[in-house]
Structures are given as C-alpha cells and as structure tokens.
Amino acid sequence: MVLARARAVDGPDKPFRFAEIKRRELDEQDVLIEIKFAGICHSDIHTAHGEWGHVHYPLVPGHEIAGLVTAVGPGVTKYQIGDRVGVGCMVDSCGECENCLRGEEQYCLNGNVPTYAGVDKYGEPTQGGYSTHIVVTEDFVVRIPDNIGLDAAAPLLCAGITTYSPLNRWQAGPGKKVAVIGLGGLGHMGVKIAHAMGAEVTVLSQTLSKKEDGLKFGAQHYYATKDPETFKELAGTFDLIINTVSAVINLDAYLGLLKLDGTLVNVGAPGEPLSVNVMSLIGHRRSFAGSMIGGIRETQEMLDFCSEHGIVPNIEVISADQIDEAYERVLASDVRYRFVIDTSTI
Ligand code: NAP
Ligand code: ZN
C-alpha cells in the first residue's frame, strides 16, 4: 500500500485541502505511477460542485494524469519501471461486453470505472490525479511519446481524446468544414487536431478576444457568437460542429449552421438539459450526436497522432495551492488553455 499526498474537496462549496489517500497494493496486472502532472478539466469542476449528481466526498478529482511507472505487479507485460505513461478518465471496465471487446471501454455495458468519483472492483471509491501516486491496471495505462513533455501530455488524456474521437469518427479531413464551439481546454485541442487532420476549421467563440490564438492553433476563420450576424452569415456552412461548451447554449441556432447531412456532436456536458427543436434537424436531414472520451486503443492512437503532428496543448502550470483560483478562472472562461497541476507541490 502506498500513502499518496493529494488535494481533496469536502463538498460543493468547499476549498481544496491537503489529504493523504491510500493506493492499493499492486495486484497481478497493476502499475504504480508516480504522478508528475494532472490537468484540470471542466468535468472536475462539474463533479466537485455536485452538478452531475451526488458524489462521495472527500473527492480527489483529476483524470488527465501523466507520470512515471515506479513499480509493476508480477503479471505486468506492457510497462516497466521508468516508463512515461498516462491515465485518462477511466481505470477499468468489464472487458467482456460487446463494447469493451470493440475497444470502446468508455461505453462498457456494465459501466466503466471512472478515475475518480467511481467505485472500483474492490468496492473502494476511486480517487483521481490531484495526487502524487495512483495504481491502475495496465490495460488502462497509455504510453506517452518521447517528444511530448509530461506537463503538456496530461491534458491530452481527456481534452485531447474527447475531441480526437468525434473528429475521427465523423471524418474531419480535407474538404470538410468543421466548426468548434468554445475555445477552452477541449476547444483548443479540437482546433489543433481538426487542422492537423486537414479540415477547414472555424472557431465559434463568445467574443473575438481569443481570435489571434485561435488562428495560431490552426483555425482559418473565427466568429463571435454574441454577434447575431454570425448566425446569418454562416447558415448552412458546416459538415461537422463539435460543441465543447460547459453551459447550456441555444442548440437550434447552431444546428442551423450545418449543411445537408451535417452533424453537431455534443461533447460539452452541462448539468442542465439541452433542448432541440426537431425542425432544426428535419429541415436539412441534420444529426445531433454525443460522444464520450475515447477507448484506450484510440487514446494511444491520439497520443501517437499528436506526437507525429507536433500537437501539444497550451498549458499554464500551477501549484497545488492554486487549484481553487484555477477553478474560478475556468468558470470565467479565463483559461489559456488548460491548467496543469505540478504534483510535486502537493
Ligand atoms: P473549458 O475549458 O471551461 O471550456 C469551455 C468553453 O466554453 C469556454 O472556454 C468558453 O469558450 C465556452 N463557454 C463557457 N461558458 C459559456 C456560455 N455560458 N456560453 C457560451 N460559451 C461558453 O471546459 P473544458 O474542460 O473544455 O470542458 C468543456 C465541457 O466538456 C464541460 O462541460 C466538460 O464537462 C465536458 N467534457 C466532456 C467530455 C466527454 O467525454 N464528452 C470530456 C471532457 C469534458 P469561449 O470563451 O471561447 O466562448
Ligand atoms: Zn475531462
């Protein structure tokens, strides 16, 4: 058993505090990881604030984990001590259902085990990456390519895969017009990845304040959604729209920006329901879809894609004492473009 240092929260309105958490003894297939960096995802905030329903407190969030392997169980074959590895939003699944067998463990029919705010196969609550160590079964660990720093790698484990997966599935590529709504953690990764896939990318942000950044990330066009002219000018333009917004937006307005047969994929996950007028879909045979992170195989594929294309997130590394402040800034859309905790400061 390893005693890890961590930052935990005791309730929806409580600040983060120091905590010690127990990581289990290594089982046959387990890997002990010394966490070096952990990204702050807006999902951490939704969860810590109880917006997605009841959670078990104290809660240690964090599902964008990058670190080094420091011990392995006797049956581990894929990893060795010293390997640079990552862990994303899930740490286990049944491994036997139709979806797991397809490599889509995130959609495990028996429920995947989330990295935090879940219950593992031993009946223990899972605790996430705002900590110094974690024990994970090797099948839920991925390898971080050598040319990506561990700090920059962390956000790829959620923000990277959550945007890569729908861009891949809905075939963003040459000749495709792709829009990304919201230029935050997920959004800025979506822009970089869609651009690298060869698509013509447009950012739909609330204002033009981040335009220069958006164009640097690879967008060709950048529009303010606060300006009603945007919706007139872009009507019927896109093959694919990825909505990364953490709050409720007027979906019908955005569906109107799709071409015939276009698809709007929602990855943003506000606690409140989003409504759709079916006429927005019927009119031009449009689709409205959702997508959740990606499977382990696809996560490795995404890391290798980012390595090959030189894609890394734009990060601001913070100390563990700055988590509350970082949450405030994310909520104010003042993130450029992912906060990453240096876990040596915990
Ligand atoms: P984030 O960094 O806060 O980015 C969200 C962006 O949405 C903001 O930067 C802002 O962009 C825009 N936005 C925020 N409030 C808005 C409002 N009221 N109206 C319009 N736009 C608004 O968050 P994130 O970490 O990227 O996560 C985004 C969402 O995806 C969260 O709900 C998170 O839980 C969810 N998520 C889902 C999955 C999945 O598997 N589906 C995985 C990870 C995260 P602008 O300033 O450019 O307008
Ligand atoms: Zn996340």
Side-chain angles (χ1 to χ4, degrees):
M1 197 257 297
V2 171
L3 218 46
R5 303 195 308 281
R7 292 293 165 124
V9 67
D10 294 313
D13 308 315
K14 297 287 194 301
F16 276 87
R17 63 166 172 88
F18 175 82
E20 272 187 334
I21 54 173
K22 290 177 189 156
R23 297 300 192 182
R24 66 171 182 261
E25 290 291 346
L26 295 190
D27 219 335
E28 275 293 297
Q29 307 303 134
D30 280 344
V31 170
L32 173 65
I33 299 165
E34 183 185 338
I35 300 172
K36 296 291 188 187
F37 295 96
I40 293 181
C41 176
H42 206 119
S43 302
D44 301 351
I45 304 178
H46 291 307
T47 309
H49 290 177
E51 292 167 24
W52 287 348
H54 175 77
V55 284
H56 175 91
Y57 295 103
L59 172 79
V60 178
H63 58 207
E64 294 186 335
I65 297 170
L68 300 174
V69 173
T70 52
V72 293
V76 168
T77 56
K78 298 179 190 158
Y79 297 101
Q80 293 179 347
I81 292 173
D83 283 355
R84 303 166 82 248
V85 293
V87 177
C89 302
M90 51 185 175
V91 287
D92 213 347
S93 73
C94 82
E96 291 167 357
C97 73
E98 192 185 333
N99 294 352
C100 283
L101 292 175
R102 279 174 54 183
E104 305 265 30
E105 302 90 350
Q106 72 278 33
Y107 305 118
C108 174
L109 295 172
N110 296 301
N112 73 64
V113 179
T115 305
Y116 62 83
V119 177
D120 66 19
K121 63 183 170 205
Y122 308 95
E124 296 294 325
T126 56
Q127 300 287 17
Y130 299 4
S131 63
T132 54
H133 297 82
I134 192 167
V135 173
V136 183
T137 184
E138 66 172 335
D139 287 346
F140 283 77
V141 175
V142 288
R143 196 174 290 284
I144 294 173
D146 286 337
N147 65 344
I148 303 180
L150 290 180
D151 50 357
L156 297 176
L157 278 306
C158 176
I161 184 59
T162 301
T163 47
Y164 179 88
S165 184
L167 287 167
N168 196 22
R169 167 150 293 267
W170 276 276
Q171 295 165 348
K176 291 284 180 71
K177 291 188 176 179
V178 174
V180 175
I181 316 175
L183 196 67
L186 266 57
H188 94 294
M189 287 313 306
V191 171
K192 291 184 183 206
I193 293 170
H195 171 68
M197 288 175 170
E200 182 180 331
V201 185
T202 299
V203 175
L204 302 172
S205 180
Q206 293 168 92
T207 68
L208 296 179
S209 65
K210 295 177 277 190
K211 180 171 178 181
E212 213 174 295
D213 288 343
L215 299 182
K216 263 192 238 150
F217 298 158
Q220 273 98 324
H221 317 281
Y222 200 107
Y223 287 84
T225 54
K226 283 208 167 132
D227 180 357
E229 284 303 311
T230 291
F231 292 89
K232 287 186 198 149
E233 194 179 330
L234 298 178
T237 300
F238 301 107
D239 298 286
L240 176 64
I241 301 177
I242 308 285
N243 174 23
T244 74
V245 175
S246 48
V248 172
I249 58 169
N250 178 356
L251 279 181
D252 295 308
Y254 290 93
L255 286 167
L257 307 186
L258 289 172
K259 280 182 185 167
L260 174 67
D261 286 329
T263 302
L264 189 156
V265 183
N266 222 87
V267 293
E272 301 296 317
L274 288 166
S275 73
V276 176
N277 180 339
V278 291
M279 295 306 173
S280 310
L281 301 172
I282 289 172
H284 291 81
R285 201 165 56 202
R286 293 162 172 144
S287 301
F288 177 49
S291 182
M292 188 170 73
I293 47 172
I296 298 299
R297 191 167 57 220
E298 195 178 29
T299 304
Q300 188 64 60
E301 182 185 304
M302 174 277 306
L303 286 166
D304 297 340
F305 178 90
C306 288
S307 162
E308 195 180 313
H309 291 268
I311 298 174
V312 283
N314 288 53
I315 57 170
E316 189 172 332
V317 176
I318 60 165
S319 76
D321 289 336
Q322 295 174 291
I323 298 172
D324 294 306
E325 191 188 322
Y327 273 32
E328 290 304 318
R329 283 186 53 194
V330 172
L331 288 172
S333 299
D334 180 24
V335 53
R336 300 286 189 281
Y337 282 83
R338 202 57 145 184
F339 290 109
V340 173
I341 304 162
D342 175 350
T343 59
S344 70
T345 62
I346 293 177

